[in-house]
């Protein structure tokens, strides 16, 4: 059951990050997004997770 909560938390973070970056991410299919847009979302998620883990802020 904790796996479902993890997936839900990850999905929530994904949509929050997309919104921060100004990317219109829909629930469901997003195959119309560019590699750059998807990479920006994934990169920012990785950065946020790392910041939470280390307690350091690495924003530019």
């Amino acid at each position: 059951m904790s796996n479902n909560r993890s997936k839900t938390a990850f999905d929530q973070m994904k949509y929050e990050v997309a919104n921060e970056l100004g990317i219109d991410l829909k629930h469901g299919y997003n195959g119309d997004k560019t590699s750059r847009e998807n990479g920006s979302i994934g990169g920012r998620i990785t950065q946020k997770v790392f910041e939470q883990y280390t307690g350091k802020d690495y924003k530019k």
Side-chain angles (χ1 to χ4, degrees), residues 10-57:
F10 176 78
D11 283 343
Q12 182 179 353
M13 181 183 280
K14 178 174 61 175
Y15 291 107
E16 286 175 8
V17 166
N19 188 41
E20 288 173 13
L21 297 173
I23 300 170
D24 183 28
L25 196 63
K26 301 173 290 251
H27 293 288
Y29 180 74
N30 284 290
D32 59 333
K33 301 298 173 221
T34 66
S35 296
R36 180 175 291 253
E37 289 172 320
N38 289 326
S40 296
I41 294 168
R44 181 65 184 127
I45 288 171
T46 302
Q47 188 178 39
K48 280 186 151 194
V49 169
F50 186 77
E51 288 171 1
Q52 289 174 355
Y53 180 75
T54 63
K56 297 179 182 176
D57 186 3

